[in-house]
Amino acid sequence: MASFYERRILPGLIACACRAPQIMDKRAALVPAAQGRVLELGAGSGLNFALYKPEEVSVAIGLEPSAELRALARQAPKAAGLAVEIVPGAAENLPFESATFDTVLTTFTLCSVASLDQALREARRVLKPSGRLLFCEHGLSPDKSVARWQRGLDPFWSRLAGGCHLCRAIGAAVETAGFAFEKVEQTYLPATPKIVGWTQWGSARPR
């Protein structure tokens, strides 16, 4: 059973952290590229729903395992005319048929899935052959000194931050799962501690 902290305090902390201006800037640059039938992994409190282009999206399905965050997502602002469905589920075992989505979107989610590799394999499975993965994620820094701190702090950070991990190599995992990058960029987020600030974003197609 989830603790009081996990049920009553953590969802609000996550929602607050995920709407920091430097994070919202990255969301705003990525989300409008979504097209067709969209699956959003880890919809959280619904921060992306206002950023979609309704004329480009037939439906946005937000998958979120936390009941508390799903409740917040249902109240989140949405782009006018956007069709949204919010469903429970885990990224590692998606409750959808294969090859049924045009876009899979993940923003600051892959740090906290139970299995990064399995979540990405599932994302590839549900994408159409012509589909696209859009991602923006923080992870393992290429700077050895920062990475050393990330690995040392990760066990403690993960317990406090709802399973968020500091040292996942997102780009490498995307390629290993069978994707080919169309575009990938990376930098430290401004005004953010380096241990949580190294971020990669871009798009990839199933190979």
Side-chain angles (χ1 to χ4, degrees):
M1 176 181 288
S3 68
F4 178 84
Y5 172 77
E6 292 169 325
R7 289 183 289 108
R8 299 298 184 186
I9 298 175
L10 185 61
L13 292 177
I14 291 173
C16 182
C18 287
R19 62 173 177 262
Q22 59 270 45
I23 291 178
M24 291 305 298
D25 285 347
K26 293 302 181 198
R27 294 180 188 274
L30 182 74
V31 176
Q35 295 179 322
R37 181 175 167 85
V38 180
L39 174 62
E40 183 174 335
L41 300 182
S45 59
L47 293 171
N48 289 334
F49 294 156
L51 303 174
Y52 286 99
K53 290 184 176 180
E55 67 273 18
E56 299 288 344
V57 174
S58 58
V59 63
I61 299 177
L63 184 91
E64 174 51 53
S66 164
E68 291 78 16
L69 288 172
R70 289 198 303 273
L72 293 174
R74 291 187 182 100
Q75 304 302 317
K78 300 171 180 64
L82 180 69
V84 173
E85 298 177 20
I86 300 169
V87 299
E92 298 88 348
N93 187 23
L94 296 175
F96 306 106
E97 297 293 328
S98 298
T100 52
F101 288 95
D102 301 289
T103 306
V104 172
L105 172 73
T106 171
T107 57
F108 301 95
T109 293
L110 297 178
C111 61
S112 59
V113 296
S115 170
L116 173 60
D117 293 338
Q118 178 62 18
L120 286 168
R121 285 194 295 267
E122 278 288 272
R124 187 181 184 282
R125 179 184 67 79
V126 300
L127 271 173
K128 296 176 182 178
S130 60
R132 173 187 287 167
L133 173 71
L134 299 176
F135 65 96
C136 183
E137 300 287 343
H138 78 92
L140 182 66
S141 169
D143 299 323
K144 290 183 179 180
S145 60
V146 177
R148 190 178 306 115
W149 277 102
Q150 288 177 312
R151 291 188 175 99
L153 292 172
D154 190 74
F156 309 99
W157 177 268
S158 180
R159 287 197 290 271
L160 288 174
C164 171
H165 291 275
L166 297 171
C167 49
R168 288 184 167 174
I170 300 298
V174 169
E175 289 188 300
T176 298
F179 290 95
F181 289 121
E182 290 183 314
K183 175 184 178 182
V184 61
E185 299 183 62
Q186 53 195 22
T187 191
Y188 286 108
L189 292 178
T192 305
K194 285 189 173 183
I195 61 166
V196 293
W198 180 254
T199 302
Q200 294 177 300
W201 66 96
S203 61
R205 300 275 190 182
R207 288 201 299 267

